[in-house]
Amino acid sequence: MQVNKSDLLRRLKKIEGQVRGVQKMIEEDRYCMDILVQLAAIKSATHNIGLAILEGHTKRCVSNAIRSGDGEQAINEMMEVLRSFVK
Amino acid sequence: MQVNKSDLLRRLKKIEGQVRGVQKMIEEDRYCMDILVQLAAIKSATHNIGLAILEGHTKRCVSNAIRSGDGEQAINEMMEVLRSFVK
Amino acid sequence: MQVNKSDLLRRLKKIEGQVRGVQKMIEEDRYCMDILVQLAAIKSATHNIGLAILEGHTKRCVSNAIRSGDGEQAINEMMEVLRSFVK
Amino acid sequence: MQVNKSDLLRRLKKIEGQVRGVQKMIEEDRYCMDILVQLAAIKSATHNIGLAILEGHTKRCVSNAIRSGDGEQAINEMMEVLRSFVK
């Protein structure tokens, strides 16, 4: 899992930089539509990281739960979080 | 506009903190679903800031463009950025 | 506006057909993932029609309101509906 | 599964009626923002049906695949369709 973990951290570092970039744009009174384009990139990157984490969770935790007979509960929890993530 | 600007900066500072919080959660191997809940909050906060910026842009820039006869172009640009923000 | 109106009606007729197609797929116990692909197409087409209507609304009603001094109220209403459309 | 199936069909029938309702609103030149509110309801209902189908698919097909050793492939397919559904 180390590779995946470092990949997630790299992507989150990039998002952190983008969020600081937007702060700077606002401080400098940059054009609203350019700021909105940056916010779209942050939202999209956050969305993609969330789906990558959901995929890993399904392949490990949910799969293990299903194999040990606790699938129903694990899938209910996964769906509840997914519903709030993509509402 | 200063109040609004400082409000946006405050909200972006909070998002920056949340993004760092998620990095820490990943480093500490915290439970995937708890991480996804945090990512949902970041995505939602970014979405709301984007719509607030869109509202300000429409009330100022687009309104001014409409009053000076350049509304069509300003609305086309606004719609193009909105489409990528909410795709 | 007639062209635009007939274009919207044509697209809505297509969506109506897609919704009936999904009903048929469910009645015939078709594969879940194929049904989800169709629902994705319906959601996306509905989203695009909504944005087209928002664009027309902004170019006509909102622009007229701005020119006659009622822009603030028109933009507030537009933003409220947009927020529920893209939540 | 019959109950669930009839529930899905009932919800899709309702969406079909809403889509026809929007066509009628457009033909009658009803107010754009009222039309957008209806489109928001259609989009939201379609989204919720899609997630209900995803949940059923995960509890049945994906769970069976995991138990018989084909989980990886089933989850990859599920994630691919989910990504296009919530993009």
Side-chain angles (χ1 to χ4, degrees), chain C residues 35-51:
Chain C
I35 295 173
L36 198 53
V37 167
Q38 287 305 307
L39 289 169
I42 292 168
K43 208 176 79 163
S44 175
T46 306
H47 180 79
N48 290 336
I49 289 180
L51 291 181

Side-chain angles (χ1 to χ4, degrees), chain C residues 16 23 31 43 77 85, chain D residues 16 23 31 43 77 85:
Chain C
E16 189 190 331
Q23 291 171 39
Y31 184 47
K43 208 176 79 163
E77 184 201 44
F85 186 70
Chain D
E16 189 189 329
Q23 292 170 40
Y31 184 47
K43 207 175 79 162
E77 184 201 44
F85 186 70

Side-chain angles (χ1 to χ4, degrees), chain D:
Chain D
M1 274 309 293
Q2 286 309 109
V3 174
N4 194 7
K5 195 167 151 176
S6 68
D7 177 58
L8 289 174
L9 287 172
R10 185 188 53 75
R11 289 157 76 178
L12 283 161
K13 271 283 164 206
K14 189 179 166 192
I15 292 177
E16 189 189 329
Q18 288 173 308
V19 174
R20 270 201 298 266
V22 171
Q23 292 170 40
K24 198 158 171 290
M25 291 174 89
I26 287 174
E27 280 162 1
E28 295 172 353
D29 294 312
R30 293 275 293 279
Y31 184 47
C32 311
M33 289 297 97
D34 293 339
I35 295 173
L36 198 52
V37 167
Q38 288 304 307
L39 288 170
I42 292 168
K43 207 175 79 162
S44 174
T46 306
H47 180 77
N48 290 336
I49 290 179
L51 291 181
I53 285 174
L54 182 81
E55 183 170 354
H57 176 69
T58 308
K59 288 189 175 173
R60 288 185 306 276
C61 309
V62 176
S63 295
N64 287 338
I66 287 167
R67 278 187 289 263
S68 57
D70 300 322
E72 180 89 6
Q73 195 182 327
I75 295 169
N76 285 344
E77 184 201 44
M78 184 269 272
M79 287 303 305
E80 186 187 335
V81 178
L82 176 60
R83 281 190 169 90
S84 96
F85 186 70
V86 299
K87 73 160 181 276

Side-chain angles (χ1 to χ4, degrees), chain A residues 32, chain B residues 1 4 53 55-65 67, chain C residues 75:
Chain A
C32 311
Chain B
M1 275 307 295
N4 195 7
I53 285 175
E55 182 169 353
H57 176 70
T58 308
K59 287 187 176 173
R60 290 186 304 276
C61 308
V62 176
S63 294
N64 287 339
R67 279 187 290 261
Chain C
I75 295 169

Side-chain angles (χ1 to χ4, degrees), chain C residues 8-23:
Chain C
L8 290 175
L9 286 172
R10 186 188 53 73
R11 288 158 77 178
L12 283 161
K13 271 283 165 206
K14 188 180 167 191
I15 292 178
E16 189 190 331
Q18 288 172 308
V19 173
R20 269 202 298 267
V22 171
Q23 291 171 39

